[in-house]
Amino acid sequence: MTTTKVAMIEWAANALGVPPAQVRQVVLAGDASARQYSRLLTPSGSFIIADASAEPGVTTKVVAVAETLRRAGVRIPTLIASDQAAGLSLQEDAGDQVLLSELTAESVDYWYTQAMPPLRALAGADTEVSNLPPYDRDALQLELDVCPQWFFRGLLDLSLDTEFVFAQTQLQEFLIAQALAQPQVVVHRDFHSRNLMIRDAEIVVIDFQDALIGPLCYDWVSLFKDCYCRWPRAQILQWLRTLHQSLPERLQASSDTILVQWFDWIGLQRHLKVLGVFARLHLRDGKSQYLGDLPRVLAYIDEVFTLYADHSEIAPFIRCWRRVVEPALMQQPWYAR
């Protein structure tokens, strides 16, 4: 055990009121971030310690967002202690039962219904007192730029011609405008089946530090059009409508058509971003396991392209995608339609 780990254990033991010698550390598998997680086994129970020292400022965000979600009524792991300068946080152990591992065609309707209350709570949270930054034009543009940099040029090694870049810019402007036109609520930004734990038959939300004030349907897309599992569109739209109908009138779309468009457009924004993020994880961080999820993300994108093929704001990019991107995909060893 290194000095840093010794200091971390001593800090956690002090916060828990137990001798360091009675704390046993079990390192847990990491996620897409640079954060490191450990389970601490003590005589009084098990706890999770997160080391975000490689990501300055993250622990401060964890503490702030946790308070916002707690006030809103979202079930999250109880925060026991934090050292924001050191990047450490100690929290309740939410267990090992990840929602994704429990999802089947028979069980998904039950579990997604269980996930709707935290989504409603997020939508109903008081944005005025949250102090969360906005998911504004600059943030949306920054995310969309990840796709051409890391997926088109980085992973597929494409040279993008003038027609492609123009159509891409037109699409991005459209998607940003559509995102900003939705009711703006607290959004988790990664509300999917790997960030939802099941503890005592209850959904516990984790990995919430990147929350912003953003489009109503963003978290709904993250779950219902999950990058790690896929369900029939008819079933997805039923979940969407059920959740939407349970919201206050001020958050509801003016029609079902508008609601579905909100959902599909923000889904396209998210999935284009994810293409770039997964490519970056492979190329920069050596986390190549995410390549296996790219075909599913591409299938979501293709579905939207098919549904809205004649839409004037998206049709030029679809033509470029079919001409430039699809042939390159066929050459990729990870790609399967």
Side-chain angles (χ1 to χ4, degrees):
M1 183 178 289
T2 67
T3 303
T4 301
K5 289 183 178 179
V6 168
M8 183 172 68
I9 296 300
E10 289 180 345
W11 171 79
N14 182 64
L16 293 169
V18 299
Q22 294 185 5
V23 178
R24 184 162 68 91
Q25 179 187 22
V26 180
V27 178
L28 302 176
D31 56 11
S33 73
R35 294 183 294 279
Q36 296 180 331
Y37 298 89
S38 295
R39 174 169 283 121
L40 303 183
L41 305 176
T42 78
S44 57
S46 72
F47 305 87
I48 298 296
I49 187 167
D51 178 1
S53 55
E55 297 182 339
V58 164
T59 302
T60 300
K61 290 198 292 184
V62 167
V63 173
V65 176
E67 178 58 21
T68 293
L69 300 192
R70 185 194 63 78
R71 284 198 305 262
V74 179
R75 174 72 167 95
I76 60 175
T78 301
L79 184 65
I80 298 165
S82 66
D83 183 335
Q84 297 178 33
L88 300 176
S89 59
L90 183 66
Q91 57 194 254
E92 170 194 358
D93 187 350
D96 294 313
Q97 193 176 8
V98 179
L99 177 60
L100 179 61
S101 67
E102 302 301 314
L103 295 178
T104 65
E106 292 72 34
S107 70
V108 65
D109 193 62
Y110 169 79
W111 283 116
Y112 275 23
T113 299
Q114 297 300 108
M116 288 186 191
L119 286 171
R120 281 194 293 269
L122 285 166
D126 190 337
T127 57
E128 295 298 322
V129 301
S130 70
N131 292 320
L132 295 178
Y135 209 166
D136 58 15
R137 172 175 294 277
D138 290 343
L140 289 160
Q141 184 65 62
L142 190 65
E143 290 190 344
L144 285 167
D145 288 342
V146 175
C147 180
Q149 179 183 358
W150 289 97
F151 185 72
F152 294 152
R153 297 188 180 93
L155 189 60
L156 300 185
D157 194 27
L158 294 175
S159 296
L160 306 180
D161 58 30
T162 303
E163 180 186 358
F164 191 104
V165 172
F166 182 81
Q168 176 182 266
T169 301
Q170 180 183 17
L171 174 67
Q172 290 178 346
E173 285 293 320
F174 173 72
L175 293 180
I176 290 171
Q178 292 299 312
L180 297 176
Q182 293 188 31
Q184 301 297 292
V185 301
V186 173
V187 292
H188 178 289
R189 287 182 69 211
D190 225 7
F191 196 101
H192 58 69
S193 60
R194 288 185 176 176
N195 283 335
L196 301 176
M197 311 299 294
I198 302 172
R199 186 169 179 82
D200 300 326
E202 185 179 23
I203 295 290
V204 182
V205 180
I206 64 171
D207 205 21
F208 47 74
Q209 68 285 333
D210 292 324
L212 295 174
I213 305 300
L216 174 69
C217 291
Y218 191 92
D219 284 344
W220 305 3
V221 159
S222 301
L223 182 65
F224 300 153
K225 289 188 178 184
D226 197 320
C227 296
Y228 306 109
C229 54
R230 193 176 182 201
W231 312 104
R233 181 170 173 87
Q235 193 171 19
I236 288 172
L237 293 182
Q238 183 58 54
W239 294 326
L240 172 69
R241 289 166 178 138
T242 297
L243 181 56
H244 177 254
Q245 290 165 5
S246 70
L247 296 182
E249 186 175 350
R250 63 183 175 81
L251 294 177
Q252 293 193 9
S254 57
S255 70
D256 184 72
T257 298
I258 296 298
L259 171 66
V260 174
Q261 288 178 346
W262 280 355
F263 183 74
D264 285 335
W265 292 138
I266 201 61
L268 184 55
Q269 185 272 345
R270 175 172 170 80
H271 291 127
L272 287 171
K273 175 193 77 171
V274 168
L275 291 182
V277 170
F278 284 2
R280 183 173 62 194
L281 285 167
H282 164 64
L283 295 169
R284 187 190 68 185
D285 303 330
K287 298 180 178 182
S288 300
Q289 65 269 29
Y290 292 93
L291 292 180
D293 298 304
L294 282 174
R296 187 179 302 106
V297 178
L298 287 160
Y300 285 129
I301 291 171
D302 187 70
E303 179 181 64
V304 172
F305 285 172
T306 300
L307 289 168
Y308 298 93
D310 297 328
H311 195 288
S312 60
E313 300 286 351
I314 188 174
F317 184 78
I318 295 174
R319 289 193 294 271
C320 290
W321 178 279
R322 306 291 190 210
R323 173 175 61 86
V324 178
V325 178
E326 287 190 350
L329 291 176
M330 299 300 178
Q331 307 303 314
Q332 300 299 313
W334 47 262
Y335 182 68
R337 291 186 65 85

